[in-house]
Every structure is written in structure tokens, then in C-alpha cells.
């Protein structure tokens, strides 16, 4: 594979990887919020709906396993030019192609600068101001190239942990991948997973994926990504949802009459809304149609 083909693939993979990590974060935060709120709030109470709650939580765990497996997907059978997965291992292989790191580092000098008008034809600027702008621009370009080079080096160290059989990440990935191949993507009656994954495997690999997505976004796109903000937003929203779920389950534990009263009260309080239409009903359009 030549350098330009590798870079073209890298530029396609990086935003897809970032999106997949964001999806995995959402799954994780929703599941964690409900685990933290619902079981504790239901202690000492009985409701038949707990089975449905358990099914939903189990589905979230399986979805998180798929989300995590996807961002680490690759095949040992094919060379890099035949790997078409937008994943961390494939991205690492592409970065190993001769000349790729040097070219990406050189391209970092074209990241958006705060001194965009340096070297423009503008007769209103003095020579001193122009010289100062060019100096600042040069310093920024040098710093951007160093930032890119450093991020690529950190990504390489991170990705190499997956090929070290003694690392915790490699062991976790082996268990998750075996479970995904033999139980999630397929149901093989004669091939049990060598070892079932632990929940800690998913959180360990998700943390690694967040770091890899952050480093690759910075190195390839000059984009500073902070997943902490998204995690906080997802958790806050998920906790609000979990509290409503808990309230409903607690009411169900009080008997069918309490559920009926709660539903009638909710219907009485709820504002009238237009019927939902997938693809056209957005929060903005709904808000605009609410009665004043």
C-alpha cells in the first residue's frame, strides 16, 4: 500500500472511530446510571416488572460489548490493504505504512491558525506588523507539527499494547472478541468462547478507545476532543430517566391501582403534542408547535 492510499483511509477512519466511541459512551452511561439508581431504590420491594428491567440492562451490556468489539475489530488473516474496518488496530497498521507519519506531521502545519492573514496581499499593514504575524504563524505551525508528532507517537504506544499478549488490554480484547464472534455475531453450538468477558474488560477497553479516538482526532484533524463533556451530559440525562423508571417500578410494587392513578395523573398533566413522525419530528419543530 502506498502512502497516499493509507492516508486517505486514515482520514475516513478517524471520524468514524470517534463516532463509534461516542456511541459506546452513551451505552455505558445509560447502563451505569440505571445500575446506580434503580436496584438500590427498589430494595425491599417486589414488582413483576423487574424482569423487564433486567432484560433491558442485559441488552445494554450486550450492546456495549458490540460497541467495544467494533472499535477494536481486525483480522489476522489479511494484510492491511484488505482490512476495511474503521478500528484502532487497523488505524495502527495504516500509520505503520512508510512515510505516513512524516506526511501527517507535515500536513499539521496547515491546521487552522489564528494568524490567517499572514502573507496576504494587504498594503495597509506595516512591514513590522507583517513580520510579527509571519513569526507567530511560523511558531504556530512548528507547534502544530510537534503536537501531531507527539499524538501519533502516543497512539502507537497505545495500539502496541494490543499486540502484547501480557497486557491487560490484549487479554480483555481476546475475551470480548471471542464472545462477540461465538455468541453475539454468531451462535456457534460447537465453539464456546475460550473465556467469557468480564465487565471490567469493557470499561478498560472503552477507556483505551476514548484515548485512541482523542489522539487520532488531534493528530489527523487537529481536533481537540474531550469526551468528559459528553459523558457528563449522557450521565445527567440517563440519571433523570433512571429516576423516572424507578418511580414507575415503585408504583407498580404498590399494586395495579397505584399504576392506574399514576398514568391518569401523567396523562392529565402532559401537554398535547402533535403525533410523532420519524424523520420529520425534531425537538425544535415540536417545540414550535406546542400551545402557548
Amino acid at each position: 500500500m502506498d502512502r497516499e492510499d493509507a492516508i486517505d483511509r486514515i482520514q475516513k477512519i478517524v471520524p468514524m472511530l470517534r463516532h463509534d466511541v461516542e456511541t459506546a459512551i452513551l451505552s455505558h452511561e445509560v447502563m451505569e446510571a440505571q445500575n446506580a439508581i434503580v436496584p438500590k431504590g427498589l430494595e425491599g420491594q417486589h414488582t413483576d416488572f423487574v424482569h423487564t428491567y433486567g432484560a433491558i440492562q442485559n441488552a445494554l451490556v450486550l450492546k456495549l460489548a458490540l460497541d467495544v468489539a467494533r472499535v477494536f475489530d481486525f483480522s489476522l488473516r489479511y494484510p492491511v490493504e484488505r482490512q476495511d474496518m474503521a478500528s484502532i488496530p487497523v488505524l495502527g497498521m495504516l500509520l505503520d505504512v512508510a512515510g505516513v507519519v512524516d506526511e501527517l506531521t507535515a500536513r499539521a502545519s496547515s491546521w487552522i491558525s489564528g494568524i490567517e492573514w499572514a502573507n496576504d496581499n494587504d498594503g495597509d499593514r506595516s512591514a513590522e506588523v507583517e513580520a510579527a504575524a509571519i513569526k507567530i504563524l511560523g511558531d504556530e505551525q512548528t507547534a502544530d507539527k510537534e503536537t501531531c508528532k507527539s499524538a501519533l507517537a502516543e497512539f502507537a504506544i497505545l495500539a502496541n499494547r494490543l499486540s502484547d499478549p501480557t497486557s491487560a488490554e490484549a487479554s480483555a480484547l481476546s475475551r470480548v472478541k471471542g464472545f462477540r464472534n461465538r455468541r453475539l455475531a454468531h451462535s456457534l453450538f460447537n465453539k464456546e468462547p475460550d473465556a467469557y468477558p468480564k465487565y471490567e474488560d469493557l470499561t478498560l477497553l472503552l477507556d483505551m478507545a476514548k484515548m485512541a479516538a482523542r489522539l487520532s482526532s488531534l493528530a489527523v484533524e487537529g481536533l481537540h476532543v474531550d469526551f468528559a463533556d459528553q459523558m457528563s451530559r449522557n450521565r445527567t440525562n440517563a440519571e433523570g430517566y433512571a429516576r423516572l423508571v424507578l418511580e414507575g417500578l415503585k408504583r407498580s410494587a404498590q399494586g395495579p391501582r397505584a399504576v392506574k392513578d399514576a398514568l391518569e395523573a401523567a396523562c392529565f398533566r402532559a401537554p398535547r403534542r402533535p403525533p410523532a413522525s420519524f424523520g420529520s419530528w425534531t425537538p425544535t419543530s415540536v417545540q414550535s408547535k406546542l400551545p402557548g
Side-chain angles (χ1 to χ4, degrees):
M1 175 180 292
D2 64 30
R3 183 189 68 186
E4 293 306 314
D5 188 17
I7 290 177
D8 179 65
R9 295 186 183 203
I10 288 170
Q11 290 174 330
K12 292 175 181 176
I13 288 174
V14 168
M16 294 177 66
L17 175 62
R18 185 169 60 247
H19 175 74
D20 284 342
V21 170
E22 290 169 348
T23 299
I25 289 172
L26 177 59
S27 299
H28 181 258
E29 294 304 321
V30 171
M31 183 174 57
E32 286 286 290
Q34 294 201 91
N35 280 339
I37 292 174
V38 176
K40 185 177 180 180
L42 279 178
E43 287 180 357
Q45 302 188 61
H46 173 76
T47 169
D48 291 338
F49 297 122
V50 74
H51 299 294
T52 298
Y53 169 78
I56 293 171
Q57 289 299 93
N58 185 60
L60 280 171
V61 173
L62 297 180
K63 181 182 182 302
L64 180 60
L66 283 172
D67 290 341
V68 169
R70 181 165 56 244
V71 299
F72 289 96
D73 198 14
F74 74 102
S75 173
L76 293 172
R77 293 181 295 173
Y78 302 117
V80 63
E81 57 268 17
R82 295 185 61 189
Q83 305 267 1
D84 58 359
M85 292 78 85
S87 68
I88 294 167
V90 173
L91 186 55
M93 296 176 195
L94 293 168
L95 289 172
D96 284 338
V97 172
V100 165
V101 169
D102 289 342
E103 179 61 20
L104 288 174
T105 303
R107 293 187 184 190
S109 63
S110 64
W111 289 350
I112 295 177
S113 168
I115 311 294
E116 298 178 16
W117 48 265
N119 290 318
D120 284 351
N121 294 321
D122 188 345
D124 294 336
R125 290 198 298 270
S126 67
E128 292 80 6
V129 171
E130 176 68 16
I134 292 175
K135 172 67 167 58
I136 294 173
L137 178 61
D139 291 343
E140 284 190 0
Q141 290 174 336
T142 298
D144 286 343
K145 287 192 286 188
E146 286 302 316
T147 296
C148 174
K149 186 176 181 180
S150 176
L152 290 171
E154 287 187 60
F155 182 93
I157 293 172
L158 198 67
N160 286 338
R161 295 217 295 262
L162 296 173
S163 58
D164 178 3
T166 65
S167 73
E169 292 85 358
S171 298
L173 180 57
S174 176
R175 289 187 289 270
V176 171
K177 190 173 182 180
F179 181 63
R180 179 258 186 194
N181 290 343
R182 298 180 181 184
R183 278 295 174 268
L184 293 183
H186 314 282
S187 186
L188 306 182
F189 62 86
N190 60 348
K191 289 184 180 179
E192 283 287 324
D194 295 329
Y196 281 87
K198 299 172 287 187
Y199 185 68
E200 307 91 82
D201 294 338
L202 301 180
T203 57
L204 176 66
L205 292 173
L206 179 56
D207 286 342
M208 184 182 191
K210 287 186 285 189
M211 179 65 72
R214 183 183 68 80
L215 291 171
S216 60
S217 295
L218 178 58
V220 177
E221 300 176 330
L223 182 64
H224 290 269
V225 176
D226 183 2
F227 291 113
D229 287 343
Q230 183 205 337
M231 291 169 62
S232 178
R233 291 193 305 271
N234 290 162
R235 175 58 71 93
T236 299
N237 190 273
E239 286 176 347
Y241 172 79
R243 282 189 286 270
L244 291 175
V245 170
L246 174 60
E247 181 64 24
L249 292 173
K250 288 169 70 175
R251 286 182 181 273
S252 73
Q254 298 169 13
R257 181 63 195 178
V259 176
K260 183 174 183 295
D261 291 345
L263 289 173
E264 288 177 350
C267 291
F268 180 76
R269 292 194 305 266
R272 298 182 63 187
R273 286 180 168 84
S277 174
F278 288 108
S280 61
W281 185 23
T282 64
T284 301
S285 62
V286 171
Q287 185 66 35
S288 66
K289 295 176 183 177
L290 287 177

